[in-house]
Amino acid sequence: MQQESFSALKNDVNSRAQQTINGLLGNKEYNQEEVPQWTAHLSEEIVKSLKELSSNFKYCVSCVILQKGDAGMHMSSTCFWDSNLDGSVAIKWENNSMHCIVNIYGIAF
Amino acid sequence: MQESFTSFKDDVNQKANKAIQNFLGSREYSQDEVQAWTAQLSEEIVKMLKDQNSNFKYCVSCVILQKGDAGMHMSSTCFWDSALDGSVAIKWENPSMYCIVNIYGIAF
């Protein structure tokens, strides 16, 4: 049987992750004390949702929340993997007070 | 017996720190050049990892954040084989910027 590739799941992953971020952060304002819980909660929720989608992959999810202010930020990823099977999704979300960037890497095993 | 990522974690940490220091050490945050820096750094680190151990797949992400008036937090959660796989998070800074590198090593 042919192994499933991550690109087959990409659209689903994207919509689930956007939904999760919106659900958790949608109406919130950047808050220094609560932000560490939000990032941890978000990345855990997203991993749970991915496991339900497909258990043929290992997942690494990182979540960044950046307050809107006076600072520039750039992010790059480079991966060494099997390009037929593995893949990644990068989600950029924002509201009035903050940016949220989620990186999802799906590795077949 | 399959090798675990933790067996070479310290090496990875050291080499990646050195790579960041050499690349960014003397530089000041520059809006036009930062994009090239993050891309080059993550590529360089992946090459270094492949040379160190080719029994793993690697995902490396590199963030450069200008020192200014904004708070930032970052978390990672992974679903993997905890006996074999692993990650390293490196935080580096100079007077004008922060650099955060996340390295995930997945056995296959």
Side-chain angles (χ1 to χ4, degrees):
Chain A
M1 191 177 84
Q2 207 186 31
Q3 247 182 315
E4 194 180 10
S5 96
F6 186 79
S7 27
L9 306 172
K10 242 176 168 174
N11 286 335
D12 255 327
V13 170
N14 216 310
S15 57
R16 280 175 181 232
Q18 291 274 3
Q19 235 174 16
T20 309
I21 302 171
N22 241 323
L24 184 73
L25 297 180
N27 53 1
K28 303 214 169 133
E29 207 176 302
Y30 185 90
N31 178 319
Q32 190 176 303
E33 336 244 279
E34 297 182 59
V35 159
Q37 296 165 38
W38 295 347
T39 51
H41 192 92
L42 248 183
S43 46
E44 281 175 44
E45 283 294 307
I46 291 177
V47 168
K48 274 190 213 154
S49 155
L50 292 167
K51 277 165 60 187
E52 285 163 24
L53 186 61
S54 174
S55 51
N56 294 325
F57 292 88
K58 295 179 180 177
Y59 299 106
C60 300
V61 174
S62 85
C63 171
V64 177
I65 294 179
L66 173 68
Q67 183 181 23
K68 281 191 169 176
D70 226 344
M73 190 191 100
H74 273 267
M75 189 171 200
S76 282
S77 277
T78 305
C79 301
F80 172 64
W81 58 24
D82 181 339
S83 49
N84 290 321
L85 301 172
D86 307 324
S88 68
V89 170
I91 291 147
K92 292 181 289 300
W93 178 99
E94 66 182 283
N95 70 9
N96 294 331
S97 66
M98 54 188 167
H99 294 278
C100 177
I101 298 141
V102 173
N103 275 338
I104 298 168
Y105 305 96
I107 312 286
F109 68 102
Chain B
M1 195 177 81
Q2 247 183 319
E3 196 175 0
S4 94
F5 186 79
T6 26
S7 63
F8 57 104
K9 218 177 172 175
D10 289 337
D11 249 337
V12 168
N13 212 315
Q14 222 179 40
K15 292 190 178 188
N17 259 301
K18 224 162 43 163
I20 302 170
Q21 180 65 40
N22 287 339
F23 196 83
L24 296 179
S26 53
R27 292 185 204 219
E28 205 176 305
Y29 184 90
S30 153
Q31 187 175 301
D32 300 323
E33 297 180 76
V34 155
Q35 195 152 350
W37 295 347
T38 51
Q40 274 175 273
L41 245 184
S42 47
E43 278 177 46
E44 212 179 287
I45 291 176
V46 168
K47 276 191 211 154
M48 176 269 285
L49 291 164
K50 276 166 58 186
D51 290 337
Q52 168 119 20
N53 193 323
S54 53
N55 293 326
F56 288 84
K57 294 179 178 179
Y58 299 106
C59 300
V60 174
S61 86
C62 171
V63 177
I64 294 180
L65 174 66
Q66 183 181 24
K67 282 191 170 175
D69 227 342
M72 191 193 97
H73 274 267
M74 189 172 201
S75 284
S76 275
T77 306
C78 302
F79 172 65
W80 58 24
D81 181 337
S82 49
L84 299 172
D85 308 323
S87 69
V88 169
I90 292 151
K91 289 178 293 301
W92 179 96
E93 67 181 283
N94 74 8
S96 68
M97 55 187 167
Y98 297 101
C99 177
I100 298 143
V101 173
N102 274 339
I103 297 167
Y104 304 97
I106 313 285
F108 66 103

